[in-house]
Amino acid sequence: MAEQVLTDIAALRRSPLAHLEEAIREGAVSGERGVSLREIPFLNMVGLRAEPGSAGAKALEAALGLPLPAGHGQVTGSVDGTALLWLGPDEFLLVGPEGSNATTALTEALGAEPGAVVDLSANRTTVELTGPSARAVLEKGCHVDLHPRAFTPGTAVMTQLGPVPVLLWQTAEEGGSQTYRILPRASFADYTARWLLDAMTEFASPEVP
């Protein structure tokens, strides 16, 4: 009997927070003080390095159809499609839907120009925090000013949530409800999700006058 070879391993993938799916669902808070959490697993992430304005940067921009973010906190593109997040003066993170791996095309576009294109899809997972109390949850342990005067939709920065380094990206704010995407490294995903669930607990009770 010929040995069976498994060629499609997609069914074997397990997201970093799959084991907390029930806890995440049960931890959701509804109402005026509502806040909920969900994992968005398996997004495509590609690390890019190129000096802004260089031939390499222009080649990457042409291949992506997007300009590289120009400075700290800036994001180009769309949260529903492909987005580029600023990480450093010559460092960027491409985030796109599952299955949209552009590593090969971007590597070819960069060619021999100085820079780098690295598939980082397995490096992080993404959790989305949303609701009227989302900002208040993050403010319990986030190291940046999240007030709307300083942090608005379309802003993404490297920071810490409690003791964990994360990439924090505010994607929307509407009608008093905020939405954030939090990108911890996969090895810190469990701690990050449990920290958020614990911080959400108080909002299930009426606010103390």
Side-chain angles (χ1 to χ4, degrees), residues 30-109:
S30 59
E32 292 182 359
R33 283 159 53 85
V35 60
S36 62
L37 187 68
R38 70 174 179 132
E39 183 184 20
I40 309 175
F42 310 129
L43 291 180
N44 175 236
M45 300 186 195
V46 181
L48 304 177
R49 298 295 297 264
E51 187 69 28
S54 67
K58 292 176 181 177
L60 292 175
E61 290 175 329
L64 289 165
L66 288 173
L68 295 175
H72 180 260
Q74 293 190 15
V75 177
T76 58
S78 167
V79 67
D80 297 320
T82 298
L84 276 167
L85 283 61
W86 190 94
L87 300 182
D90 66 347
E91 184 176 6
F92 313 90
L93 182 68
L94 173 69
V95 180
E98 179 183 0
S100 62
N101 197 320
T103 307
T104 300
L106 291 172
T107 299
E108 292 175 352

Side-chain angles (χ1 to χ4, degrees), residues 98-140:
E98 179 183 0
S100 62
N101 197 320
T103 307
T104 300
L106 291 172
T107 299
E108 292 175 352
L110 184 63
E113 296 293 337
V117 177
V118 182
D119 186 350
L120 299 175
S121 301
N123 182 250
R124 300 177 185 271
T125 192
T126 303
V127 290
E128 186 173 75
L129 186 73
T130 187
S133 296
R135 181 180 299 127
V137 168
L138 291 174
E139 286 174 337
K140 292 185 176 187

Side-chain angles (χ1 to χ4, degrees), residues 14 16-29 35-39 127-129 189-201 204:
R14 185 172 173 82
L17 293 177
H19 63 294
L20 290 180
E21 182 178 355
E22 184 175 351
I24 289 172
R25 183 173 58 253
E26 292 179 350
V29 178
V35 60
S36 62
L37 187 68
R38 70 174 179 132
E39 183 184 20
V127 290
E128 186 173 75
L129 186 73
D190 178 273
Y191 182 95
T192 302
R194 292 181 189 275
W195 188 98
L196 288 166
L197 288 170
D198 182 68
M200 290 163 55
T201 303

